[in-house]
């Protein structure tokens, strides 16, 4: 109660500021000047249909109200699975028999001159693929023995075989993949999606994050942050052990009725403040207080697997009492089933440099595949059997690729097999939500070093995801610091050949 009184006192003091005087007591010129300044710092851009719809929702005090996209969408929601650290495409999907011939030989100088690598120095040895490849399904997709379960669902996906990026270190590459910029401060793709479409569930956040692998991604929580968008659109991380969301439970001695009365009082204060200054972030604050109250009931229910049949737990490989990547895959299905717009899965531990056994191509990568392969295949099958795959876009990949040469450091060969970070070529796949089934787009050269056909940049992937959700990526914008910003910055084109 003391905190509530302090907030009331602070609100009263704010009414004595120069901003309040200029807004309510002057001729209006001061407020006009102040508005132009605030407009460059984050007020909504109403210059296009999508932003105008969001502005209307903000003005009504309902920023997460479901909204229509600019055109008929193929997908209603997204499950984005990011393997943090970046799995080697040469061991999983990009079959290069020619690379076997060069195994153990010195890397040609033309592959080294003028190139930037995170760790390789001197002349490394070439490294052939360690997986055994075969073709699967009617599409004849090449998949290695690292992924025995995925082999059975290869006909459901579209492979992007010639992805490339601009960043060769983990944090900036992850930021570029998820926010469209290698620098901090931009909204994540999940934030852009919920900003544009709102949410279909009033009792759950529109953007939920589930992490596994024991550590956070290198770029930290910024890759699911809302940047300069209102904070109501940022991702909410749910834990798979203990309370799903920290501090959402009532404190000791406080009943749910008392909590509701407290929130109602805070909402009244915030509403008075919004009526005075019209700052949309105040509406975000109101919405988040109310959402937190509803989440006390909805989140534990969504995260509780006790109602799932045993055969389904076995299909995913889930121990319902332990947090894991497999558990997060099953939770992702439960969340999109409940109308959550964007579910982001991060799994740490895919960085295979060869400096240790758990970071080795021949050991650590196989272990990570064993932890995830069954669950990913089960997720696709589960969505399909429930009729959800057609309206749910599933995306899988890392932040960059791995080199076709074995990593060395200062000219010294490492104790295990490993590959360095690679900008020029890697594989991402998509399934459901309006993309073709059993399709492969793009090609790399004979050793998997360069993309040679149908190359796809990060911004192209982002533009395609927004397109499948019904948006023109050039028109979903937000006015900030004097210009309209968008997820794809000033680049990106939709990958039309992969659309169903």
């Amino acid at each position: 109660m003391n905190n509530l009184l302090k907030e009331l006192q602070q609100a009263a003091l704010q009414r004595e500021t120069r901003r309040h005087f200029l807004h309510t007591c002057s001729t209006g010129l001061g407020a006009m000047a102040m508005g132009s300044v605030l407009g460059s710092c984050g007020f909504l851009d109403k210059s296009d249909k999508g932003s105008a719809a969001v502005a209307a929702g903000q003005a009504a005090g309902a920023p997460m109200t479901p909204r229509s996209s600019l055109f008929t969408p193929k997908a209603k929601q997204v499950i984005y699975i990011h393997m943090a650290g970046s799995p080697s495409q040469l061991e999983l999907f990009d079959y290069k028999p020619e690379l076997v011939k060069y195994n153990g030989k010195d890397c040609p100088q033309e592959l080294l001159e003028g190139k930037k690598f995170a760790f390789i120095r001197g002349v490394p040895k070439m490294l052939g693929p360690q997986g055994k490849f075969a073709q699967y399904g009617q599409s004849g997709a090449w998949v290695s023995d690292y992924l025995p379960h995925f082999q059975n669902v290869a006909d459901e996906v579209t492979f992007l075989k010639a992805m490339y990026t601009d960043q060769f270190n983990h944090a900036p590459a992850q930021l570029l993949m998820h926010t469209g910029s290698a620098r901090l401060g931009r909204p994540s793709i999940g934030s852009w999606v919920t900003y544009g479409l709102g949410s279909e569930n009033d009792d759950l956040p529109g953007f939920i994050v589930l992490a596994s692998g024991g550590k956070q991604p290198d770029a930290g929580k910024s890759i699911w942050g809302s940047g300069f968008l209102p904070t109501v659109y940022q991702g909410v991380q749910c834990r798979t052990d203990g309370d799903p969301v920290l501090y959402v439970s009532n404190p000791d001695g406080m009943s749910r009725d008392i909590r509701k009365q407290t929130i109602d009082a805070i909402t009244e204060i915030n509403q008075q403040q919004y009526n005075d200054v019209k700052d949309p972030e105040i509406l975000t604050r109101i919405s988040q207080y109310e959402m937190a109250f509803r989440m006390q009931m909805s989140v534990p229910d969504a995260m509780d697997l006790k109602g799932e049949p045993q055969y389904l737990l076995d299909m995913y490989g889930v121990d319902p009492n332990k947090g894991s990547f497999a558990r997060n895959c099953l939770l992702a299905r439960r969340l999109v089933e409940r109308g959550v717009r964007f579910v982001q899965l991060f799994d740490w531990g895919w960085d295979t440099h060869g400096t240790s056994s758990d970071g080795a191509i021949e050991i650590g990568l196989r272990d990570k595949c064993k932890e995830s392969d069954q669950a990913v295949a089960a997720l696709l099958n589960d969505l399909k059997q429930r009729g959800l795959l057609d309206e749910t876009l599933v995306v899988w990949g890392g932040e960059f690729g791995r080199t076709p040469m074995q990593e060395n450091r200062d000219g010294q060969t490492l104790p295990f097999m490993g590959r360095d970070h690679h900008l020029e070529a890697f594989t991402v796949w998509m399934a459901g939500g309006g993309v073709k089934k059993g399709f492969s787009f793009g090609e790399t050269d004979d050793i998997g070093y360069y993309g040679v056909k149908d190359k796809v940049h990060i911004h192209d992937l982002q533009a395609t995801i927004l397109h499948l959700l019904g948006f023109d990526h050039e028109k979903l914008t937000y006015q900030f610091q004097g210009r309209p910003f968008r997820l794809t910055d000033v680049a990106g084109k939709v990958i039309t050949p992969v659309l169903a």
Side-chain angles (χ1 to χ4, degrees):
M1 188 59 69
N2 289 335
N3 291 334
L4 186 60
L5 290 174
K6 288 180 181 179
E7 187 167 350
L8 182 61
Q9 291 171 351
Q10 183 178 10
L13 290 172
Q14 287 176 342
R15 292 189 177 89
E16 299 178 9
T17 62
R18 285 177 292 176
R19 176 181 294 184
H20 179 74
F21 173 79
L22 289 171
H23 186 270
T24 60
C25 302
S26 71
T27 59
L29 295 176
M32 291 171 60
M34 185 71 74
S36 67
V37 173
L38 292 175
S40 68
C41 297
F43 273 38
L44 292 167
D45 175 17
K46 302 180 183 179
S47 60
D48 62 72
K49 181 179 177 182
S51 296
V54 180
Q58 286 277 14
M64 296 301 290
T65 298
R67 292 177 284 277
S68 299
S69 49
L70 296 182
F71 49 86
T72 303
K74 298 291 184 69
K76 291 176 57 179
Q77 58 258 334
V78 177
I79 297 174
Y80 195 125
I81 305 170
H82 185 101
M83 303 319 210
S86 296
S88 170
Q89 75 282 5
L90 296 169
E91 268 63 50
L92 303 183
F93 306 116
D94 202 11
Y95 180 44
K96 297 299 170 186
E98 286 293 314
L99 189 56
V100 177
K101 301 177 183 179
Y102 296 99
N103 187 60
K105 296 181 179 180
D106 286 348
C107 178
Q109 279 297 318
E110 58 264 29
L111 300 182
L112 302 174
E113 292 176 355
K115 301 296 182 182
K116 293 181 179 180
F117 300 99
F119 295 102
I120 286 177
R121 302 293 182 269
V123 180
K125 302 291 185 182
M126 301 301 291
L127 179 60
Q130 300 304 298
K132 296 179 180 179
F133 281 81
Q135 290 179 282
Y136 294 92
Q138 294 182 352
S139 63
W142 289 99
V143 183
S144 83
D145 62 342
Y146 279 49
L147 300 171
H149 293 276
F150 184 82
Q151 294 166 357
N152 299 319
V153 295
D155 277 347
E156 294 294 335
V157 310
T158 280
F159 294 95
L160 304 176
K161 291 286 189 70
M163 290 288 304
Y164 70 100
T165 182
D166 309 326
Q167 301 296 323
F168 63 85
N169 284 323
H170 293 292
Q174 291 169 2
L175 284 169
L176 179 62
M177 177 64 78
H178 293 284
T179 73
S181 172
R183 297 182 178 181
L184 294 168
R186 298 288 184 88
S188 63
I189 184 171
S191 296
W192 280 110
V193 169
T194 50
Y195 163 70
L197 291 177
S199 177
E200 293 189 338
N201 189 320
D202 291 336
D203 299 328
L204 287 169
F207 177 16
I208 289 181
V209 179
L210 302 169
S212 57
K215 294 184 180 180
Q216 300 280 7
D218 295 76
K221 297 182 179 181
S222 296
I223 48 178
W224 60 79
S226 58
F228 46 69
L229 292 178
T231 52
V232 71
Y233 301 116
Q234 71 183 8
V236 175
Q237 184 178 4
C238 290
R239 305 187 308 161
T240 52
D241 287 319
D243 288 340
V245 179
L246 291 174
Y247 311 118
V248 77
S249 300
N250 289 326
D252 291 340
M254 176 174 281
S255 68
R256 185 165 173 80
D257 289 341
I258 295 176
R259 168 63 68 91
K260 182 63 169 66
Q261 293 173 12
T262 303
I263 290 175
D264 288 345
I266 294 171
T267 296
E268 184 177 350
I269 294 171
N270 284 328
Q271 187 64 53
Q272 290 176 1
Q273 187 179 25
Y274 175 75
N275 294 338
D276 287 343
V277 300
K278 303 299 182 183
D279 183 351
E281 190 63 23
I282 299 172
L283 296 180
T284 289
R285 192 187 312 161
I286 293 171
S287 177
Q288 287 175 324
Y289 270 116
E290 294 174 347
M291 173 62 74
F293 181 74
R294 296 193 298 271
M295 283 169 58
Q296 289 183 317
M297 305 294 289
S298 61
V299 170
D301 174 69
M303 306 291 282
D304 186 358
L305 301 184
K306 291 179 181 178
E308 297 289 344
Q310 188 61 46
Y311 84 88
L312 202 63
L313 299 176
D314 294 340
M315 185 172 83
Y316 279 88
V318 169
D319 181 342
N321 299 313
K322 293 182 180 179
S324 65
F325 174 79
R327 179 186 174 91
N328 287 352
C329 285
L330 178 51
L331 289 173
R333 187 271 290 165
R334 290 174 61 85
L335 291 170
V336 297
E337 201 171 32
R338 286 162 169 75
V340 174
R341 186 72 70 183
F342 201 100
V343 181
Q344 180 80 65
L345 272 59
F346 287 101
D347 188 54
W348 185 88
W350 294 82
D351 196 19
T352 47
H353 288 281
T355 55
S356 61
S357 62
D358 61 351
I361 292 289
E362 74 274 28
I363 303 172
L365 180 60
R366 280 193 180 274
D367 291 342
K368 290 300 293 183
C369 288
K370 288 178 183 177
E371 292 175 7
S372 62
D373 175 44
Q374 179 179 345
V376 170
L379 175 62
L380 294 183
N381 283 325
D382 196 11
L383 290 170
K384 184 177 181 179
Q385 70 186 10
R386 293 169 186 271
L388 289 170
L389 188 57
D390 288 341
E391 62 185 33
T392 304
L393 177 65
V394 182
V395 184
W396 182 101
E399 58 264 29
F400 41 58
R402 315 301 299 200
T403 58
M405 64 280 285
Q406 182 167 354
E407 184 174 323
N408 65 359
R409 299 194 179 186
D410 298 323
Q412 299 298 313
T413 302
L414 297 174
F416 298 91
M417 295 184 192
R419 302 184 186 276
D420 204 355
H421 309 165
H422 192 47
L423 299 171
E424 306 284 353
F426 63 106
T427 299
V428 167
W429 60 256
M430 301 187 291
V435 299
K436 290 179 179 177
K437 297 181 179 182
F439 185 67
S440 184
F441 183 75
E443 295 178 14
T444 56
D445 59 25
D446 288 344
I447 62 171
Y449 194 92
Y450 292 109
V452 295
K453 181 182 178 182
D454 297 327
K455 297 173 65 175
V456 175
H457 188 265
I458 303 300
H459 288 136
D460 301 333
L461 175 63
Q462 294 162 344
T464 305
I465 292 172
L466 292 181
H467 175 84
L468 290 167
L469 291 164
F471 282 102
D472 181 339
H473 71 103
E474 295 182 351
K475 294 182 178 179
L476 183 61
T477 62
Y478 190 86
Q479 193 76 12
F480 178 67
Q481 292 184 338
R483 76 171 178 92
F485 278 80
R486 55 187 171 95
L487 172 64
T488 52
D489 197 28
V490 294
K493 60 183 182 298
V494 176
I495 317 165
T496 53
V498 309
L499 304 181

